[in-house]
């Protein structure tokens, strides 16, 4: 019995427990009523009288050691639980990755901001349109190739319902629902049935401008566009208007700005000409005013339309249009 007691003392001193469950098992094994230590106490009766004193002392020592070890282990487990539950409220927070504005949104907002300073407000219209709002009211003759299957996306093979190919359709909505003076900017997405490449996409973005009032002249148009070009591309920017044709304007023009990459000296971007085209414009054709219920003998107006991707390319030299719609964070992050 003596050896058994000494052996148990050693075993119990080296016991370990890492959870309340393990601790309870130890208690059951050694200290419960049927545990090993209690058993030894039961056997104590049989110990010869001359050994009772010595063995009794050792038994008490064993019980005390076992109880002390239990308390130690219990404290240890509680402490480690507290450690793992502890929140450090003073720790600096993980940095949250903030998103960035899309470059096309940045440029669209800048265009709107520039024109809002000379009295333009924003008007929007639907992307799904009928033929009349996109073409008919805008003086496109019935056989005009823009309506062709190759340019326009029609919806459910219905030649009257289509995705707008330009934001000029918003002009139609504004002119048929508002009375002059009208001074609006119409930003939005447009769709054309084109193969996707670095230089063309099946959807892109435009900003349309429309000003209608009494006595609006081509000089007003030119002044507004010069103001825009200098605000957008810098004070030294030159503009040049070349005669052109659009069904909805007469006369019509295309506007170039002095190449803002080489400063007009000639580079690969401007194909050595020193000029880059940025928009189409003109005086609203009287046919368009009349189609929309505006008296063309009283009112005149100008309109212009520009591609947001084009302006963005000029500002940021983005070489591949596809980058704008691929949501690649490596690209988008650069516009922080
Ligand atoms: N709608 C034309 C296009 O999509 C752009 C345009 C040209 C708009 C001349 C205008 C304008 O308002 O006057 O290519």
């Amino acid at each position: 019995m003596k050896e058994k007691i000494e052996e148990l003392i050693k075993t119990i001193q080296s016991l370990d427990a890492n959870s309340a469950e393990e601790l309870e098992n130890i208690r059951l094994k050694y200290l419960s009523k049927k545990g090993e230590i209690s058993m030894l106490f039961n056997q104590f009766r049989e110990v010869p009288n001359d050994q009772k004193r010595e063995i009794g002392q050792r038994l008490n020592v064993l019980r005390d050691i076992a109880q002390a070890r239990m308390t130690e282990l219990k404290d240890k487990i509680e402490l480690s639980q507290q450690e793992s539950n502890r929140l450090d409220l003073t720790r600096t927070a993980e940095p949250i990755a903030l998103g960035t504005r899309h470059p096309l949104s940045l440029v669209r907002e800048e265009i709107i901001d520039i024109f809002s300073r000379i009295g333009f407000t924003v008007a929007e219209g639907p992307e799904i349109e009928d033929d009349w709002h996109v073409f008919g009211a805008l003086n496109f003759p019935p056989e005009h190739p823009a309506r062709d299957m190759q340019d326009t996306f029609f919806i459910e093979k219905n030649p009257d319902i289509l995705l707008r190919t330009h934001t000029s359709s918003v002009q139609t909505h504004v002119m048929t629902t508002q009375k002059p003076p009208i001074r609006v900017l119409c930003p939005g997405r447009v769709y054309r049935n084109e193969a996707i490449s670095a230089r063309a996409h099946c959807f892109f973005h435009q900003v349309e401008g429309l000003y209608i009032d009494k006595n609006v002249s081509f000089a007003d148009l030119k002044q507004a566009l010069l103001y825009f070009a200098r605000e957008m591309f810098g004070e030294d920017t030159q503009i040049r208007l070349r005669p052109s044709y659009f069904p909805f304007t007469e006369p019509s023009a295309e506007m170039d700005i002095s190449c803002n990459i080489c400063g007009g000296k000639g580079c690969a971007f401007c194909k050595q000409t020193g000029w880059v085209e940025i928009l189409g414009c003109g005086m609203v054709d009287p046919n368009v005013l009349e189609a929309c219920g505006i008296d063309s003998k009283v009112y005149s107006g100008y309109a212009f339309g520009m591609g947001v991707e084009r302006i963005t390319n000029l500002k940021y030299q983005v070489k591949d249009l596809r980058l704008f719609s691929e949501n690649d964070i490596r690209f988008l992050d650069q516009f922080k």
Side-chain angles (χ1 to χ4, degrees):
M1 183 154 181
K2 233 181 117 188
E3 290 87 68
K4 177 82 187 157
I5 293 173
E6 298 309 322
E7 199 190 302
L8 267 178
I9 289 179
K10 274 197 201 128
T11 315
I12 285 172
Q13 275 170 336
S14 64
L15 278 177
D16 197 14
N18 289 312
S19 67
E21 208 187 336
E22 282 174 32
L23 192 67
E24 176 62 6
N25 287 339
I26 291 176
R27 194 190 66 80
L28 286 173
K29 184 155 190 237
Y30 298 103
L31 286 163
S32 66
K33 274 203 182 127
K34 288 186 179 159
E36 289 186 30
I37 294 174
S38 312
M39 290 312 203
L40 287 175
F41 272 97
N42 290 343
Q43 288 162 26
F44 183 66
R45 261 175 273 131
E46 289 141 37
V47 171
N49 274 345
D50 61 338
Q51 292 178 26
K52 270 207 162 99
R53 190 185 148 87
E54 197 198 340
I55 293 195
Q57 269 179 358
R58 291 311 285 165
L59 253 182
N60 283 340
V61 168
L62 168 63
R63 190 197 47 213
D64 292 348
I65 286 178
Q67 275 165 356
R69 188 70 193 144
M70 285 296 289
T71 318
E72 259 172 48
L73 289 176
K74 190 167 168 240
D75 288 351
K76 187 194 94 167
I77 290 168
E78 274 176 9
L79 198 78
S80 83
Q81 238 154 26
Q82 276 168 15
E83 283 291 315
S84 64
N85 289 345
R86 203 168 67 200
L87 285 178
D88 181 357
L89 297 175
T90 61
R91 233 180 98 183
T92 32
E94 296 286 332
I96 298 167
L98 290 178
T100 54
R101 289 265 183 161
H102 193 281
L104 294 178
S105 301
L106 291 174
V107 170
R108 181 195 57 212
E109 291 311 308
E110 196 174 344
I111 297 168
I112 291 172
D113 185 58
I114 292 170
F115 280 104
S116 73
R117 281 183 251 141
I118 53 169
F120 283 78
T121 56
V122 170
E124 282 179 343
E127 293 181 6
I128 301 174
E129 280 284 14
D130 54 30
D131 180 282
W132 189 76
H133 282 88
V134 181
F135 300 122
L138 294 170
N139 203 33
F140 282 76
E143 71 287 356
H144 195 282
R147 282 194 185 80
D148 198 315
M149 278 292 193
Q150 270 148 38
D151 275 317
T152 304
F153 284 117
F154 294 91
I155 294 185
E156 288 175 358
K157 301 203 170 74
N158 181 341
D160 195 41
I161 308 296
L162 46 94
L163 294 178
R164 67 182 178 196
T165 55
H166 56 178
T167 46
S168 304
S169 57
V170 187
Q171 283 189 25
T172 317
H173 287 282
V174 172
M175 284 190 282
T176 48
T177 55
Q178 294 177 29
K179 285 193 165 35
I182 289 169
R183 195 160 10 192
V184 291
L185 221 53
C186 318
R189 180 173 287 179
V190 301
Y191 300 84
R192 288 184 198 177
N193 193 354
E194 292 198 37
I196 297 170
S197 72
R199 310 172 129 261
H201 212 295
C202 60
F203 62 79
F204 53 99
H205 301 80
Q206 292 186 328
V207 175
E208 187 85 9
L210 175 70
Y211 176 36
I212 294 173
D213 204 346
K214 289 173 181 159
N215 302 316
V216 177
S217 73
F218 202 93
D220 298 323
L221 170 63
K222 195 174 165 189
Q223 190 57 42
L225 293 178
L226 177 65
Y227 157 78
F228 166 71
R230 295 200 162 157
E231 291 292 307
M232 192 77 198
F233 297 105
E235 268 179 71
D236 302 326
T237 308
Q238 307 286 313
I239 64 166
R240 160 174 107 167
L241 288 158
R242 285 176 290 103
S244 185
Y245 172 77
F246 300 102
F248 36 90
T249 43
E250 183 58 38
S252 304
E254 278 171 321
M255 185 173 96
D256 299 339
I257 59 165
S258 49
C259 178
N260 75 322
I261 290 161
C262 60
K265 286 189 211 83
C267 67
F269 191 84
C270 61
K271 298 195 187 86
Q272 312 303 329
T273 62
W275 296 95
V276 284
E277 185 197 319
I278 66 160
L279 55 79
C281 61
M283 301 306 291
V284 180
D285 194 300
N287 289 345
V288 174
L289 294 175
E290 294 296 334
C292 296
I294 292 173
D295 188 344
S296 64
K297 292 191 188 65
V298 181
Y299 292 104
S300 57
Y302 65 68
F304 55 86
M306 65 185 95
V308 181
E309 279 81 354
R310 176 109 186 115
I311 307 283
T312 309
N313 284 348
L314 268 171
K315 266 198 99 98
Y316 297 113
Q317 279 106 66
V318 180
K319 294 211 172 67
D320 190 330
L321 269 181
R322 290 168 291 197
L323 283 166
F324 290 127
S325 50
E326 280 169 351
N327 281 340
D328 188 330
I329 288 192
R330 291 169 300 179
F331 171 68
L332 297 174
D333 254 356
Q334 296 174 51
F335 297 90
K336 275 208 169 105

